[in-house]
């Protein structure tokens, strides 16, 4: 069995885990991120992600869920004081039973499985971690094959993104690339025609009026500025979501969710 550490002070090991919650650069250097919550941790193990360490709180015996997960993951384990676990768990009034340090997966679009009805979401320069997590959750719910985050963007492995995904971050590939070019190069090498469909309030075609049943990259723009000029130039079609009322636009993750639902609706039909 993997060895067990006992940590009761804010030593260097604890400080490294603490930094994973707040410092993107340190997540990258360490090649790992910290995962909070029963469902996200369970899905990380279920889907074969690299579990580098499991952190538990000292005190009463562990639940059946925690014991079985520790047995399944067979990762190094650390037992921390309740106070230290509360700091890492992000809830002052609650001590988490279990936390996991998980290895960062490769930012390689080849991780995305290619099916005849491929559906991939490209999120262009998102600035809010919660929006990334929400869109990943929607992509998982509506049968997308992966999410690609492009450009200078918030981090999908920020704790706020991980929580908002409710574990879906581990159920489908999420990849970061520098720009639209890497997405087009990957799609162009698949050997099948892939349409690139952007979403924008000023698009010339209603979302429901465009065929989304074939291989598709669905592009969702930045929360403030929408699609970049580069993405607009390469889209085969830009679609709009019809709206009424006083709202001038939808939240980026909400717009992406609506578009994903429409793609799923058409594909069921």
């Amino acid at each position: 069995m993997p060895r067990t550490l006992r940590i009761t002070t804010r030593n260097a090991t604890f400080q490294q885990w603490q930094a994973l919650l707040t410092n993107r650069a340190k997540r990258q250097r360490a090649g790992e991120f910290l995962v909070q919550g029963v469902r996200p941790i369970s899905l990380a193990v279920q889907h074969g992600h690299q579990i580098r360490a499991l952190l538990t709180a000292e005190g009463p015996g562990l639940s059946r869920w925690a014991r079985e997960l520790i047995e399944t993951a067979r990762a190094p384990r650390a037992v921390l004081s309740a106070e230290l676990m509360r700091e890492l768990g992000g809830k002052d009034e609650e001590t988490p039973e279990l936390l996991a340090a998980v290895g960062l997966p490769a930012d390689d679009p080849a991780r995305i499985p290619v099916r005849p009805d491929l559906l991939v979401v490209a999120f262009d320069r998102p600035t809010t971690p919660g929006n990334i997590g929400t869109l990943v959750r929607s992509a998982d719910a509506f049968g997308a094959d992966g999410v690609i985050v492009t450009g200078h963007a918030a981090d999908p492995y920020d704790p706020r993104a991980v929580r908002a995904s409710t574990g879906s971050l581990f159920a489908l590939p999420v990849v970061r690339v520098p720009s639209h070019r890497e997405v087009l190069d990957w799609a162009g090498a698949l050997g099948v025609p892939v349409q690139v469909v952007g979403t924008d309030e000023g698009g010339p075609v209603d979302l429901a009026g465009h065929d989304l049943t074939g291989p598709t990259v669905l592009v969702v723009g930045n929360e403030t500025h929408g699609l970049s000029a580069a993405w607009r130039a390469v889209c085969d079609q830009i679609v709009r979501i019809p709206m009424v009322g006083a709202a001038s636009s939808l939240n980026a993750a909400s717009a992406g969710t609506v578009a994903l639902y429409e793609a799923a609706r058409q594909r069921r039909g």
Side-chain angles (χ1 to χ4, degrees):
M1 288 292 293
R3 64 195 180 99
T4 299
L5 299 175
R6 294 194 175 274
I7 299 176
T8 57
T9 63
R10 293 171 179 79
N11 62 15
T13 301
F14 172 81
Q15 291 174 25
Q16 178 177 327
W17 287 326
Q18 191 175 44
L20 298 180
L21 294 172
T22 58
N23 192 310
R24 179 176 186 163
K26 290 187 177 180
R27 285 194 291 269
Q28 285 301 122
R29 283 199 295 271
E32 64 186 30
F33 63 112
L34 202 65
V35 181
Q36 306 155 325
V38 171
R39 182 170 175 78
I41 294 172
S42 296
L43 287 174
V45 173
Q46 178 183 330
H47 288 276
H49 288 260
Q50 181 190 25
I51 310 300
R52 293 192 173 180
L54 291 172
L55 286 55
T56 59
E58 63 182 5
L62 296 172
S63 68
R64 179 179 177 182
W65 164 76
R67 293 196 306 271
E68 290 180 350
L69 189 137
I70 290 169
E71 178 63 28
T72 300
R74 301 187 67 81
R77 183 180 164 198
V79 178
L80 280 67
S81 69
E83 180 184 1
L84 297 182
M85 283 292 283
R86 280 194 297 273
E87 288 187 34
L88 296 180
K91 298 180 179 179
D92 293 339
E93 72 285 355
E94 183 178 322
T95 303
E97 182 178 30
L98 188 66
L99 301 168
V102 179
L104 291 175
D107 284 314
D108 183 356
R111 291 176 50 221
I112 299 173
V114 179
R115 300 182 295 137
D117 58 348
L118 175 75
L119 178 61
V120 171
V121 181
F123 203 170
D124 177 29
R125 302 162 298 134
T127 59
T128 306
N131 276 339
I132 297 177
T134 298
L135 191 55
V136 169
R137 181 180 182 180
S138 296
D140 183 23
F142 293 118
D145 299 293
V147 175
I148 304 177
V149 179
T150 69
H152 183 68
D155 187 5
Y157 304 104
D158 183 292
R160 291 166 291 179
V162 179
R163 285 195 296 269
S165 81
T166 64
S168 290
L169 180 71
F170 304 105
L172 80 167
V174 177
V175 177
R176 300 169 293 182
V177 298
S179 73
H180 66 289
R181 298 183 190 90
E182 289 76 17
V183 182
L184 296 180
D185 289 346
W186 166 75
L190 296 179
V192 295
V194 179
Q195 66 169 341
V196 180
V197 179
T199 57
D200 185 86
E201 62 192 64
V205 177
D206 276 0
L207 172 64
H210 183 74
D211 185 357
L212 297 169
T213 58
T216 301
V217 172
L218 184 66
V219 189
V220 177
N222 169 274
E223 295 94 335
T224 304
H225 304 292
L227 293 176
S228 66
W231 266 119
R232 286 179 183 276
V234 300
C235 283
D236 299 300
Q237 184 61 269
I238 297 179
V239 298
R240 65 175 178 268
I241 298 170
M243 294 186 297
V244 298
S248 61
S249 62
L250 290 174
N251 166 277
S254 298
T257 298
V258 172
L260 283 161
Y261 172 79
E262 175 60 22
R265 186 194 68 80
Q266 291 185 19
R267 290 163 184 234
R268 284 196 304 270

